[in-house]
Amino acid sequence: MAGTSIMETLFQRSLEDLIKGFRQQQVKESVFISKAMEEIRREIKSTDIPTKSNALQKLSYLSSLYGLDMSFASFHAIEVMSSSQFLHKKIGYHAITQSFNDDTPVMLLITNQLRKDLNSTNQFEVSLALECLSRIGNIDLARDLTPEVFTLLSSSKVFIRKKAIAVVLRVFEKYPDAVRVCFKRLVENLDSSDPVLVSAVVGVFCELSFKDPRSYLPLAPEFYKILVDSKNNWLLIKVLKIFAKLAALEPRLAKRIVEPICDHMRRTGAKSLLFECIRTVVSSLSEYESAVKLAVVKVREFLVDDDPNLKYLGLQALYIIAPKHIWAVLENKDFVVKSLSDGDFNIKLESLRLLMAMVSEDNVAEITRVLVNYAIKSDAEFCNEILGSVLSTCCRNLYEVIVDFDWYVSLLGEMTRIPHCQKGEEIENQLIDIGMRVKDARPELVHVCRDLLIDPALLGNPFLHRILSAAAWVSGEYVEFSRNPFELMEALLQPRTNLLPSLIRAVYVQAALKVLIFCLYSYLLHRDNIASSNHDNLTSGIPELVSTREGPESSDLATSEDPSFSEQYDSFNPRDINQSFEDLSVENGEDITVSNCQASSSSFLGKNSFTQESIVSLLNIVELALGPLSGSHDVEIQERVRNVLGFTDLIKQEIVNPAVRGKENSAMDVTDAFSVVKLMRDAFSKELGPVSASAQQKVRIPDGLLLKEDLADLETICGDIQFPLASSFSFGGTQYAEIVGVSQTSLQSNDETEPSHESTSLLADHRKRHGLYYLSSEKSEIASSDYPPANDPISQGKLNDDSEDLLKLTEQSLVQKKRPNHAKPRPVVLKLYGDEIAIASKKTEVKGDLLSGVVRDVLLGDDAITAPSQSSRSEKSSSKRKGKEKLTADLPSESKENLQGEEMPSDHVNTSSRKSKHPSHGKERGQKSQGKDGEGKEDNGVKEKKKSNRHHGKHKARQIANESLNVVAQTPVIPDFLL
Amino acid sequence: MGIRFILMVNKQGQTRLAQYYEWLTLEERRALEGEIVRKCLARAEQQCSFVEHRNYKIVYRRYASLFFLVGVDNDENELAILEFIHLLVETMDRHFGNVCELDIMFHLEKAHFMLEEMVMNGCIVETSKANILAPIQLMDKSS
């Protein structure tokens, strides 16, 4: 065994050999590595420490640079680390810091070795152990090694002390109770004469204060001293960071630090310090006008500098100022606009963010105009950044900044045409959203969508397909605003639509159906108006018709209601279904009053010539274009196409060939077709509105509806029918009860018009019963009446002066105008309760963590540390003070187990804010003097603390007795230092 | 945490030194390095040295064929980190004498050691070159 060991040592490859081997690269890298790993796995098992450590060194190297797993060597690393030779120890420690984490099983084994090394007389060994602790320290290590760290905090060697200070951060984080032990010494190091130590301590406080700045307010005087006296830029930067946090909490403190910071700003030559000053001023001292002005001057220096880094940071600083001092941005607007064409993507992005920050109701049009024009010229990535930020800025808070929706809608159309545009999804959502929310924008919306649909070039760009889908939906839904429905139909049916994905094509077909129905309705209404002079008694004819045709149909209905016939339905030919549909519509036609719908579309009748020829050609186009699609493999398309075709088939017979029937019947035919069309139109004319995200929760589950009921028996009834989604509409709806069977039949044979009709009536029914959950149009107007009232018409005179040319725009766009001159009053935007919830900026709850709780205890209640038994008591009392007793704090002996990662409930923060309202004098002084006195005792405190915890039960009575005392002693809080 | 990681990467994108101050699994490290290298190495000389990545910033600087990349928290002072990088390079320069990629390859441990002297737990603790190099020189002498 010894022999092989020697052999191995002699012929072992050193790390250097390994690296050389890599560089020669005679074999493939992966082969080389796996060979090396084989070697290492063998060598690392050696009992000879030099061999082992050499292997470990190689392994660490491979692991850190080539990402190889070295967890298998954990135990070996510990062995090497335990070596008495510093050379090996170093390698062992390095391997451990690099590879150990909380999940490493052998973690427990290093505690003793660490303790031994922390107590070593060799400062480099101590240093290794400290470094290790700072990287892998977990709760156990932190707890067990707190006494050692505490001792090292006052080590005579600066080299050790500074490291101990840095380690404290990790220890506190993992084991907050260590604060009680170490905090005082940590603070004392602030007064050290050695700048290295001060710097280290400030670094620790800088990190600590990020989590909960309030706890460190009492230390402000020390930091202030550093701020004024120190010449070390590293240190000053850290102190400034701390003050940036503290000043936000304590206005009096802010007042004190403004001047020193301005001094630094004027004096310093170091850009890093200057920038930190600027950042502190703009983020935390923004109410001090003179300081902000000075900062903005300095920012300007950054902006005009050639160094891209300074430029970038200058823009960032402006972005921080923007919300409070928009003038600072406006002052530099030319530069911001210029940066938009910088060579650096990051700078461009910052500039874009700044521009968007400037957007308000008054300048949104101009800024977005500049940006969109710029987007056309820029590369794809930045173009989409621009579009994305324009879209998100404009739709913020339900289009808060948009007044002129006609303009915005046309801007959306314009964006679509930008060649690089990839924001299909967002534009799609906004088109539909605006359609539903903003009634007044619909005419322009339809116009824009028509332009998009009609352009065959857009169909070739897959990024735009979703926008086209929205456009198709909009033009179908709001077809009554269309200037030329025939043109729209042609656009929807153009041959290039075969480039669309099938789902979007289905949307197109459905839109075509809506358009078709609109045209037919308009035509028939028109014809009806002429005819009505001859046949004034239209409505009375309908019941007659029903009675004559009731006979054959009712038998049909009877059979269709029988589920066992489901198979048979498939073979129904479309004509049959249409007939039954026709019949139904007649039955229900009685309820509908003609005059209702007449009003809405009559305005269009005048303009459009819905002649017989045009309608016939329209029907022909539809048949021609959709005919081939009826065999589509996509269910959605096929189904919808069949609907449309079936419908045209029916209508055509009625309209084109009235002569087929008896001459005296022709008027009747028109009426017949008319009722069908009207019914269809009715189905589509119900307004769709936005639905609040929380709407579903408001709907009470009706009695007797068991949502989780086993649906197995349904299976047996329905056999192999695959239930279409729409079948869910078939429950309820009393007046349609008898047609449920039919509607299913029609679903089976791809007739969708039926359910959609039915669903609206169901919806109406539902609306009647649960009216309050629906948006009635009047209601919503009331709801959104909190919008600023429309501008008085007097200002309308000036409106169109705004059309400056582009060059001027860049100049003027960013200047805020005193009074907005809007072309129109802002249209109503539907708002929902749920929207507001979503919009309301979520206030993130500030959670005081365990650590800050303890820190506060230590800083504010000094007696906590003075005596050993008191330390646990103060813990208890402090938790009592916090109001609701939390288990973790209440049972100090258990708290250790519970500490891992647990966050204290947020009432800490509340108490502290309450406390801070009662500043009192004298506390600060007390703390200092006690710190010095209590130091000696603290040493024992650490060891005895555990004991006291164990015997905690015994002390309980006394603790409670002391509690009231502590409450009195600890309420006073932030001392008036320097104020 | 301040500094989250320090990377040295050569022009080809090979990692030459990696020091993390928070625990990441090997896969996470590899992914992170890949993303950063792709993002930073593609940038031109005259572009700024700050890149936003995930929820933190990367401050980087190029010296000859080697990129020094430091991942920091968002509120860290970018210019100070640039100065830190420069200090690191100067320190290595003083120790190795005109430091190059090979020096770091063959003396990775020393480079780590220097870093450990300068940064602890993500905080910069030492900024004096003499202080940083003292222990290393002592060790060199003893071995």
Side-chain angles (χ1 to χ4, degrees):
Chain A
M1 193 63 207
T4 55
S5 167
I6 290 166
M7 289 296 280
E8 269 176 16
T9 318
L10 281 177
F11 296 104
Q12 190 183 19
R13 282 206 287 186
S14 70
L15 177 60
E16 203 171 320
D17 298 334
L18 185 76
I19 299 167
K20 278 183 186 151
F22 256 117
R23 286 177 51 74
Q24 278 152 11
Q25 279 219 342
Q26 276 144 352
V27 282
K28 251 178 74 185
E29 193 178 86
S30 56
V31 179
F32 187 82
I33 290 176
S34 62
K35 246 180 94 185
M37 282 299 277
E38 233 169 77
E39 260 169 38
I40 290 168
R41 276 176 197 275
R42 202 176 53 239
E43 291 163 2
I44 208 161
K45 293 195 188 101
S46 155
T47 47
D48 177 51
I49 287 295
T51 313
K52 206 186 215 17
S53 71
N54 193 11
L56 189 64
Q57 190 178 24
K58 288 191 283 185
L59 182 60
S60 317
Y61 182 88
L62 290 178
S63 168
S64 97
L65 296 189
Y66 299 91
L68 292 165
D69 182 29
M70 62 182 288
S71 57
F72 71 90
S74 304
F75 191 76
H76 302 293
I78 295 180
E79 279 181 282
V80 175
M81 159 226 199
S82 313
S83 157
S84 53
Q85 290 237 338
F86 184 76
L87 198 70
H88 301 148
K89 196 186 263 309
K90 194 178 75 178
I91 293 169
Y93 266 113
H94 184 74
I96 287 173
T97 48
Q98 194 185 312
S99 64
F100 277 31
N101 64 338
D102 287 355
D103 299 330
T104 307
V106 292
M107 190 75 144
L108 285 168
L109 302 177
I110 64 171
T111 314
N112 274 325
Q113 185 60 41
L114 273 176
R115 182 175 290 134
K116 206 174 129 206
D117 287 333
L118 284 174
N119 288 323
S120 160
T121 48
N122 181 343
Q123 58 171 340
F124 297 110
E125 283 182 7
V126 182
S127 155
L128 282 180
L130 283 172
E131 169 71 24
C132 180
L133 186 58
S134 87
R135 296 275 291 279
I136 65 165
N138 60 4
I139 173 165
D140 295 312
L141 283 177
R143 185 188 56 227
D144 295 342
L145 298 174
T146 297
E148 277 73 26
V149 173
F150 173 75
T151 315
L152 292 176
L153 274 178
S154 56
S155 159
S156 57
K157 292 172 187 129
V158 173
F159 176 71
I160 296 301
R161 206 147 120 194
K162 75 173 184 215
K163 294 196 173 192
I165 291 168
V167 166
V168 160
L169 187 62
R170 176 93 182 194
V171 175
F172 282 5
E173 204 175 286
K174 296 289 172 189
Y175 178 61
D177 273 1
V179 172
R180 298 182 199 290
V181 182
C182 302
F183 200 77
K184 199 118 290 178
R185 274 204 184 167
L186 186 64
V187 174
E188 279 160 21
N189 276 310
L190 266 181
D191 297 328
S192 161
S193 55
D194 194 319
V196 172
L197 293 180
V198 178
S199 168
V201 183
V202 170
V204 171
F205 278 117
C206 184
E207 294 304 320
L208 285 174
S209 65
F210 277 128
K211 289 186 187 115
D212 176 41
R214 193 172 289 281
S215 308
Y216 306 96
L217 266 174
L219 293 172
E222 338 282 330
F223 297 141
Y224 183 80
K225 228 186 300 165
I226 296 168
L227 178 69
V228 178
D229 297 339
S230 176
K231 297 276 170 285
N232 181 338
N233 289 344
W234 298 96
L235 190 53
L236 284 170
I237 288 171
K238 292 277 175 200
V239 170
L240 282 169
K241 279 186 188 302
I242 298 175
F243 273 124
K245 295 270 176 261
L246 297 188
L249 299 171
E250 181 54 85
R252 290 170 299 174
L253 182 60
K255 205 171 155 198
R256 279 300 290 266
I257 57 170
V258 168
E259 249 336 284
I261 291 179
C262 286
D263 277 349
H264 280 304
M265 245 192 297
R266 286 187 206 103
R267 267 205 317 263
T268 185
K271 290 279 191 266
S272 52
L273 178 59
L274 178 58
F275 180 65
E276 200 56 50
C277 290
I278 293 172
R279 189 145 66 180
T280 310
V281 169
V282 296
S283 60
S284 303
L285 303 170
S286 54
E287 54 270 33
Y288 295 90
E289 203 71 32
S290 62
V292 172
K293 274 190 183 134
L294 180 61
V296 172
V297 170
K298 297 289 177 189
V299 167
R300 179 139 193 106
E301 282 172 24
F302 274 29
L303 290 178
V304 296
D305 203 289
D306 285 336
D307 187 347
N309 291 339
L310 296 184
K311 228 183 252 183
Y312 175 82
L313 294 176
L315 289 172
Q316 262 196 342
L318 278 187
Y319 184 71
I320 304 174
I321 306 180
K324 282 178 182 158
H325 297 278
I326 194 76
W327 59 265
V329 187
L330 296 175
E331 229 169 60
N332 295 298
K333 63 176 189 313
D334 40 344
F335 184 82
V336 175
V337 174
K338 213 172 75 194
S339 310
L340 209 54
S341 38
D342 198 278
D344 187 344
F345 185 73
N346 291 0
I347 290 181
K348 290 203 286 193
L349 217 54
E350 283 301 312
S351 152
L352 177 63
R353 269 168 58 182
L354 260 177
L355 277 172
M356 288 337 284
M358 279 189 262
V359 167
S360 73
E361 220 172 81
D362 313 316
N363 58 15
V364 60
E366 290 115 282
I367 291 185
T368 44
R369 162 84 9 244
V370 175
L371 285 179
V372 169
N373 280 338
Y374 188 75
I376 297 169
K377 285 176 280 173
S378 47
D379 58 309
E381 192 185 5
F382 193 56
C383 171
N384 282 301
E385 284 290 343
I386 293 180
L387 296 184
S389 53
V390 168
L391 285 169
S392 64
T393 307
C394 288
C395 77
R396 200 172 50 202
N397 267 348
L398 292 178
Y399 313 96
E400 192 179 48
V401 293
I402 308 291
V403 174
D404 184 356
F405 275 90
D406 289 355
W407 160 77
Y408 185 58
V409 166
S410 52
L411 180 76
L412 287 179
E414 208 176 307
M415 283 183 183
T416 308
R417 289 168 189 279
I418 294 175
H420 294 307
C421 175
Q422 295 172 9
K423 294 282 168 192
E425 201 175 332
E426 270 130 291
I427 297 179
E428 175 200 24
N429 290 340
Q430 292 198 12
L431 283 176
I432 291 176
D433 198 42
I434 292 174
M436 290 196 294
R437 285 182 197 272
V438 193
K439 257 191 188 151
D440 297 355
R442 283 175 195 166
E444 181 62 19
L445 189 62
V446 170
H447 180 66
V448 167
C449 289
R450 171 241 171 225
D451 289 350
L452 293 179
L453 288 178
I454 235 164
D455 189 347
L458 299 182
L459 287 162
N461 183 349
F463 288 116
L464 304 183
H465 284 167
R466 302 200 54 174
I467 304 176
L468 291 176
S469 148
W473 182 85
V474 164
S475 25
E477 188 62 28
Y478 306 115
V479 62
E480 67 265 25
F481 297 110
S482 166
R483 286 169 208 169
N484 187 352
F486 295 113
E487 186 189 51
L488 206 56
M489 183 63 96
E490 275 165 27
L492 286 170
L493 298 177
Q494 61 182 296
R496 268 175 75 91
T497 49
N498 61 8
L499 294 169
L500 292 169
S502 52
L503 268 176
I504 290 171
R505 216 160 175 204
V507 175
Y508 265 63
V509 175
Q510 189 71 5
L513 176 62
K514 289 179 184 173
V515 175
L516 176 65
I517 285 168
F518 172 76
C519 292
L520 285 171
Y521 178 74
S522 305
Y523 162 67
L524 290 173
L525 201 64
H526 187 62
R527 204 164 112 173
D528 186 44
N529 282 341
I530 300 161
S532 63
S533 56
N534 302 331
H535 307 265
D536 18 30
N537 200 355
L538 273 176
T539 35
S540 66
I542 295 167
E544 220 180 284
L545 189 82
V546 174
S547 61
T548 52
R549 306 186 68 191
E550 196 91 62
E553 279 312 308
S554 55
S555 66
D556 211 63
L557 282 171
T559 48
S560 62
E561 258 159 16
D562 191 343
S564 63
F565 278 78
S566 54
E567 297 279 273
Q568 194 196 319
Y569 298 155
D570 290 330
S571 57
F572 272 16
N573 67 53
R575 181 78 191 113
D576 276 344
I577 289 138
N578 285 328
Q579 216 140 43
S580 68
F581 170 75
E582 183 190 337
D583 200 61
L584 285 168
S585 53
V586 173
E587 275 177 71
N588 297 297
E590 291 166 292
D591 316 338
I592 302 155
T593 51
V594 180
S595 57
N596 244 1
C597 308
Q598 213 162 342
S600 67
S601 54
S602 57
S603 56
F604 293 89
L605 279 175
K607 289 184 229 163
N608 290 305
S609 50
F610 290 107
T611 59
Q612 168 113 10
E613 296 81 63
S614 65
I615 292 292
V616 170
S617 73
L618 185 69
L619 289 170
N620 284 335
I621 291 171
V622 171
E623 279 188 332
L624 192 70
L626 295 184
L629 282 178
S630 63
S632 163
H633 289 301
D634 189 88
V635 203
E636 279 291 318
I637 295 180
Q638 193 193 47
E639 210 171 284
R640 292 177 196 215
V641 165
R642 287 270 166 104
N643 287 343
V644 180
L645 289 180
F647 182 69
T648 45
D649 211 24
L650 160 75
I651 293 300
K652 224 174 165 183
Q653 299 231 347
E654 304 276 351
I655 290 178
V656 182
N657 305 321
V660 173
R661 305 199 177 187
K663 243 186 189 172
E664 72 283 7
N665 237 5
S666 70
M668 222 46 119
D669 286 333
V670 173
T671 324
D672 202 0
F674 186 51
S675 330
V676 174
V677 170
K678 204 149 97 57
L679 209 65
M680 293 284 284
R681 201 191 122 69
D682 233 45
F684 288 130
S685 66
K686 276 278 188 289
E687 177 112 342
L688 293 172
V691 178
S692 152
S694 56
Q696 181 66 44
Q697 294 160 7
K698 293 188 196 162
V699 181
R700 204 168 39 83
I701 297 177
D703 300 331
L705 174 61
L706 293 172
L707 288 175
K708 286 178 181 161
E709 201 178 25
D710 192 7
L711 294 177
D713 47 344
L714 203 66
E715 195 94 324
T716 58
I717 299 172
C718 303
D720 54 349
I721 298 177
Q722 292 201 325
F723 261 99
L725 200 66
S727 67
S728 59
F729 290 128
S730 55
F731 67 85
T734 47
Q735 76 257 48
Y736 293 98
E738 77 259 51
I739 52 145
V740 168
V742 182
S743 91
Q744 267 182 21
T745 341
S746 37
L747 277 171
Q748 281 302 314
S749 37
N750 307 327
D751 190 328
E752 214 216 18
T753 53
E754 187 70 44
S756 72
H757 168 209
E758 201 181 351
S759 71
T760 35
S761 68
L762 266 172
L763 238 158
D765 199 36
H766 195 259
R767 186 192 278 263
K768 233 180 272 167
R769 273 184 288 146
H770 304 280
L772 76 147
Y773 304 122
Y774 281 90
L775 280 171
S776 79
S777 47
E778 307 86 27
K779 234 187 199 167
S780 57
E781 262 153 319
I782 294 162
S784 51
S785 63
D786 52 334
Y787 260 106
N791 293 308
D792 38 345
I794 308 158
S795 61
Q796 289 193 3
K798 286 179 164 185
L799 353 140
N800 291 331
D801 304 4
D802 280 14
S803 51
E804 297 118 349
D805 71 278
L806 200 71
L807 277 175
K808 256 183 153 184
L809 274 178
T810 38
E811 266 304 299
Q812 296 185 356
S813 65
L814 311 176
V815 187
Q816 280 178 311
K817 283 172 209 128
K818 265 144 216 139
R819 188 73 208 112
N821 302 324
H822 298 312
K824 308 170 199 168
R826 188 175 192 275
V828 170
V829 181
L830 282 186
K831 263 189 175 177
L832 294 172
Y833 175 66
D835 288 331
E836 270 146 51
I837 293 180
I839 290 159
S841 55
K842 273 191 182 175
K843 280 201 174 175
T844 46
E845 272 187 31
V846 192
K847 277 194 182 172
D849 57 343
L850 211 48
L851 176 58
S852 50
V854 185
V855 169
R856 248 190 316 267
D857 281 357
V858 172
L859 269 174
L860 306 176
D862 318 80
D863 33 359
I865 317 174
T866 44
S869 62
Q870 264 182 338
S871 69
S872 71
R873 199 183 310 144
S874 83
E875 184 175 16
K876 186 173 170 61
S877 64
S878 71
S879 73
K880 286 275 188 225
R881 260 190 299 125
K882 274 156 207 149
K884 284 126 221 154
E885 269 31 282
K886 295 302 164 197
L887 288 173
T888 44
D890 208 23
L891 303 167
S893 55
E894 279 173 28
S895 67
K896 285 180 189 169
E897 281 73 49
N898 293 339
L899 279 174
Q900 287 148 320
E902 253 183 346
E903 290 216 326
M904 278 289 243
S906 51
D907 35 342
H908 281 238
V909 181
N910 299 335
T911 44
S912 76
S913 62
R914 178 171 52 79
K915 279 188 257 169
S916 65
K917 279 175 198 154
H918 309 288
S920 86
H921 305 263
K923 209 58 226 167
E924 164 85 327
R925 229 177 310 135
Q927 178 202 334
K928 272 193 175 169
S929 61
Q930 280 207 351
K932 269 157 211 156
D933 299 344
E935 203 173 273
K937 296 177 202 163
E938 278 168 58
D939 284 357
N940 318 338
V942 185
K943 280 154 210 158
E944 288 188 35
K945 208 180 132 206
K946 286 180 207 155
K947 230 189 277 171
S948 80
N949 281 342
R950 241 174 273 134
H951 301 303
H952 144 82
K954 270 194 236 165
H955 295 292
K956 209 165 190 176
R958 233 178 61 206
Q959 282 167 1
I960 292 165
N962 279 332
E963 220 168 81
S964 53
L965 240 165
N966 277 328
V967 173
V968 180
Q970 295 181 355
T971 27
V973 182
I974 293 154
D976 248 343
F977 41 80
L978 55 76
L979 303 169
Chain B
M1 165 106 334
I3 297 174
R4 291 166 177 240
F5 56 83
I6 298 170
L7 293 177
M8 295 184 198
V9 177
N10 69 8
K11 266 195 301 198
Q12 289 79 39
Q14 292 166 303
T15 310
R16 286 299 175 218
L17 179 148
Q19 176 91 311
Y20 292 87
Y21 294 95
E22 59 188 342
W23 172 256
L24 295 177
T25 64
L26 289 171
E27 291 76 43
E28 286 167 338
R29 288 181 194 198
R30 201 181 308 186
L32 180 108
E33 284 167 29
E35 285 166 36
I36 291 174
V37 163
R38 240 174 291 131
K39 249 185 177 172
C40 296
L41 267 58
R43 292 173 60 80
E45 197 86 28
Q46 66 281 2
Q47 294 181 327
C48 75
S49 324
F50 316 125
V51 178
E52 281 177 21
H53 182 72
R54 300 196 195 173
N55 55 342
Y56 48 85
K57 278 182 303 203
I58 296 154
V59 180
Y60 73 93
R61 196 159 190 172
R62 183 181 168 170
Y63 288 88
S65 65
L66 213 53
F67 284 84
F68 290 70
L69 308 120
V70 181
V72 294
D73 281 343
N74 273 320
D75 35 20
E76 197 57 57
N77 188 316
E78 292 92 340
L79 294 173
I81 297 298
L82 277 182
E83 279 168 41
F84 163 76
I85 293 175
H86 192 68
L87 175 71
L88 175 62
V89 175
E90 278 183 339
T91 312
M92 291 201 287
D93 230 19
R94 182 184 288 192
H95 183 73
F96 295 113
N98 217 349
V99 67
C100 67
E101 195 183 328
L102 275 184
D103 288 321
I104 294 167
M105 278 178 77
F106 280 97
H107 303 280
L108 189 66
E109 276 213 314
K110 275 185 191 164
H112 270 294
F113 214 82
M114 283 180 213
L115 272 181
E116 279 165 21
E117 287 302 312
M118 295 174 77
V119 182
M120 217 169 160
N121 213 355
C123 298
I124 298 170
V125 289
E126 184 59 76
T127 50
S128 138
K129 271 170 257 174
N131 285 352
I132 297 166
L133 291 175
I136 294 175
Q137 280 156 356
L138 215 68
M139 263 181 263
D140 276 357
K141 232 179 275 171
S142 67
S143 62

